[in-house]
Amino acid sequence: MIEECYIPAEDETISPTRGGIINVEEAAFLSLGYPLEEQEPETRGKRRPEGTIRVYDDYAGTFVPVKGVKIRCHRFIKWSTTFTDESGHYTMDSKFRFGPHYAIVFDNRKGFDIWGNWGPIARANLNMGWHSNRGHSRDINAGSFAWDWAAVNNATYDYYKMCEETGIAKPPRNLKIWVFKRWTTSSTPMLRRIVHPIGYNGNSSWKNFFINIGYGTLATVLNQMLKKVLPDITIGTGGHSYRKVYDVVNHELSHASHFSQVGSAHWAKYISYIMTYGSYGNGTGKNAELCGIGEMWGYSMGHIRAYEKYNPSGLLDDYPDVHTWLKPHVFWDLQRDKVLTKKQIYDCLVVGVDTYDRLVAKMYEKYPEKADEIEKAFTDNGITPNVPKPDTGDLTHDAFYTNKTVSSSFVFSGNNILTRNVTVTNSAKLTFRANKSVTINSPFTINQGAQLEITCGN
């Protein structure tokens, strides 16, 4: 039998038959045998608990705030939650007359949660015990119970913020990250999101082929059965420094953003390649270059994000790692030399871009004025594109106006102007003033009410 529970309003009082007016909450505690003397006299008034949560960055040698994480306070039937801000500070929404029990729940305000001690049953959490109603602060040291979760939380929070600032798509909503403290490897299987069959790649070995069919069928069936408990991302933190965790998390989250753009069918091929050929294989076999492109993005983004955090002066001349056949060096060079931004590269990682030539073709299509520099980044790193460069005619263009949305009147001047992928809107007037010529490549859109003016010659 479940008894009805009465939850009093804030500061609700009663008038007993004998004695003066008393607080309902105090009366309830007294009736259960909990002494009120456990509270210090100055804390007996109702207060909103507050505090600061920090984690130790063993690479920088300092404590840093734990960002956007949920803080939970409860006192028997009374519960309250809030989130830390970017400085790691929190203030509870509800007041407590008596000291509550405090916990950190790794459910982040950005829209992701971290699994750990409770596996797929519930989010990772750190019970901090009963403390004063004034609040409680906690520093999480390296090697302590919740350090791995806090480090992963912060790296993920920063990645989501980067997406908001750059326009790169965030990972899918309600992302689930499972942290394994003894593992050293990580992955982004996105198993909860895939609806296409997994594991039918056709390795050249017949033995592997039949094993793969059996495992692929099992993986597909289990995938459909266990969607609610399967992780999107697994992170192994074993032996990693805070900086290494930051790198690994950004690597895997960049894959999740890639998934947001290409979807289930593409990702099923990606997982199938890894499952069939063992990790990354040797660069041969069905969908090898599809995998190669994904890892170019993942590895480069992990290192670049770590360098942006710890070495804001710029990227190294050479990519700081070596891989067998994967070529993250290409994307590193494109960003280091300011040829393309992270967002511009990401915009090329679309459905159908599953070979190096198709990747280069997409880059040429979107950024024709950068074709020579794009080609150089690939050839310098051992990939020779077999893709014709954009045809810009016989003119030598020295002024480029591409990938723009013009919402207020603007004048662009140059000698030989090349323009492409431009939209003029909001009654704006776009004016090109060229000494010699203006070449317009599609797409080029002039919305109703907007204007285009071209003048050539002195």
Side-chain angles (χ1 to χ4, degrees):
M1 179 177 177
I2 300 177
E3 297 288 347
E4 183 177 353
C5 179
Y6 177 73
I7 301 177
E10 294 280 350
D11 296 321
E12 183 175 342
T13 59
I14 57 174
S15 297
T17 55
R18 297 178 182 179
I21 296 174
I22 65 172
N23 182 271
V24 172
E25 194 173 351
E26 288 188 14
F29 289 148
L30 287 170
S31 69
L32 291 171
Y34 292 99
L36 300 182
E37 295 77 37
E38 69 183 37
Q39 299 295 320
E40 298 177 3
E42 65 270 20
T43 67
R44 286 284 298 276
K46 283 211 163 189
R47 300 179 184 276
R48 296 185 192 276
E50 61 178 302
T52 300
I53 309 299
R54 303 189 303 174
V55 62
Y56 190 67
D57 179 344
D58 55 354
Y59 185 86
T62 186
F63 281 96
V64 296
V66 180
K67 307 172 186 177
V69 77
K70 181 181 285 185
I71 306 298
R72 183 183 67 212
C73 287
H74 80 271
R75 180 86 188 187
F76 302 104
I77 60 173
K78 182 174 183 178
W79 294 72
S80 181
T81 61
T82 190
F83 294 91
T84 59
D85 59 20
E86 290 202 358
S87 65
H89 186 263
Y90 71 90
T91 301
M92 302 308 300
D93 293 334
S94 298
K95 294 181 179 180
F96 286 81
R97 182 175 298 278
F98 307 103
H101 183 277
Y102 292 80
I104 302 173
V105 181
F106 286 89
D107 171 23
N108 198 280
R109 70 191 314 162
K110 290 290 187 184
F112 63 88
D113 52 55
I114 294 171
W115 302 357
N117 51 335
W118 291 102
I121 299 172
R123 300 173 181 93
N125 70 82
L126 173 65
N127 289 316
M128 297 188 288
W130 300 87
H131 298 282
S132 164
N133 65 348
R134 291 181 180 277
H136 179 65
S137 297
R138 174 64 66 95
D139 282 345
I140 302 172
N141 286 291
S144 63
F145 183 65
W147 183 87
D148 306 75
W149 304 331
V152 171
N153 172 87
N154 278 1
T156 308
Y157 184 98
D158 286 355
Y159 182 87
Y160 275 60
K161 185 176 179 181
M162 180 275 295
C163 289
E164 293 165 357
E165 293 171 347
T166 62
I168 291 173
K170 293 179 183 179
R173 295 180 61 184
N174 302 318
L175 193 79
K176 292 189 178 297
I177 304 171
W178 199 339
V179 176
F180 294 90
K181 298 181 180 182
R182 296 183 180 180
W183 290 13
T184 57
T185 58
S186 303
S187 66
T188 308
M190 305 301 291
L191 293 176
R192 298 170 59 234
R193 321 280 175 168
I194 294 178
V195 297
H196 293 77
I198 301 170
Y200 298 93
N201 259 14
N203 191 309
S204 57
S205 163
W206 281 106
K207 178 181 177 181
N208 288 342
F209 175 72
F210 285 113
I211 290 174
N212 187 46
I213 287 181
Y215 181 64
T217 302
L218 178 62
T220 301
V221 171
L222 288 176
N223 179 34
Q224 300 305 315
M225 293 173 59
L226 303 175
K227 279 188 180 296
K228 291 186 178 180
V229 298
L230 290 170
D232 294 304
I233 292 177
T234 65
I235 299 292
T237 57
H240 291 349
S241 68
Y242 190 94
R243 174 171 177 150
K244 179 62 175 179
V245 170
Y246 198 89
D247 185 321
V248 168
V249 170
N250 277 272
H251 174 137
E252 302 303 339
L253 289 172
S254 71
H255 285 323
S257 287
H258 191 186
F259 177 91
S260 292
Q261 186 152 262
V262 297
S264 170
H266 184 103
W267 221 252
K269 295 176 183 177
Y270 201 158
I271 294 175
S272 295
Y273 175 83
I274 293 173
M275 189 170 67
T276 304
Y277 295 96
S279 187
Y280 302 131
N282 60 8
T284 63
K286 186 176 182 181
N287 291 319
E289 291 188 5
L290 180 150
C291 173
I293 292 168
E295 295 307 324
M296 287 169 70
W297 173 244
Y299 275 106
S300 66
M301 280 292 286
H303 286 343
I304 286 168
R305 293 285 297 141
Y307 268 81
E308 288 174 339
K309 178 175 177 61
Y310 291 102
N311 306 86
S313 59
L315 303 182
L316 295 174
D317 286 343
D318 295 321
Y319 180 77
D321 204 349
V322 176
H323 296 284
T324 51
W325 64 273
L326 304 174
K327 301 293 183 180
H329 320 65
V330 173
F331 290 170
W332 178 274
D333 290 357
L334 288 172
Q335 291 181 69
R336 179 200 63 201
D337 298 336
K338 296 180 172 55
V339 179
L340 299 177
T341 65
K342 290 190 287 288
K343 175 61 163 59
Q344 288 175 322
I345 293 172
Y346 177 77
D347 287 345
C348 295
L349 304 180
V350 295
V351 174
V353 174
D354 52 11
T355 68
Y356 296 140
D357 280 349
R358 288 175 181 171
L359 173 61
V360 172
K362 179 60 67 174
M363 289 182 167
Y364 284 173
E365 174 191 333
K366 294 183 72 65
Y367 316 111
E369 72 280 9
K370 302 289 185 69
D372 289 340
E373 295 164 289
I374 291 168
E375 181 186 47
K376 184 176 186 300
F378 280 87
T379 56
D380 282 355
N381 290 290
I383 299 175
T384 303
N386 185 26
V387 180
K389 290 184 183 177
D391 181 11
T392 57
D394 297 328
L395 300 173
T396 301
H397 297 98
D398 52 15
F400 302 94
Y401 195 76
T402 61
N403 307 307
K404 304 288 186 182
T405 297
V406 181
S407 57
S408 59
S409 296
F410 181 74
V411 177
F412 184 81
S413 302
N415 195 37
N416 291 311
I417 297 174
L418 172 65
T419 181
R420 182 189 176 280
N421 196 23
V422 172
T423 299
V424 188
T425 186
N426 197 30
S427 301
K429 180 179 181 180
L430 174 61
T431 302
F432 289 119
R433 294 177 180 168
N435 291 332
K436 295 185 178 179
S437 67
V438 176
T439 302
I440 298 177
N441 288 344
S442 64
F444 195 98
T445 305
I446 308 294
N447 287 344
Q448 186 174 0
Q451 301 178 60
L452 173 66
E453 180 180 301
I454 299 174
T455 61
C456 294
N458 295 325

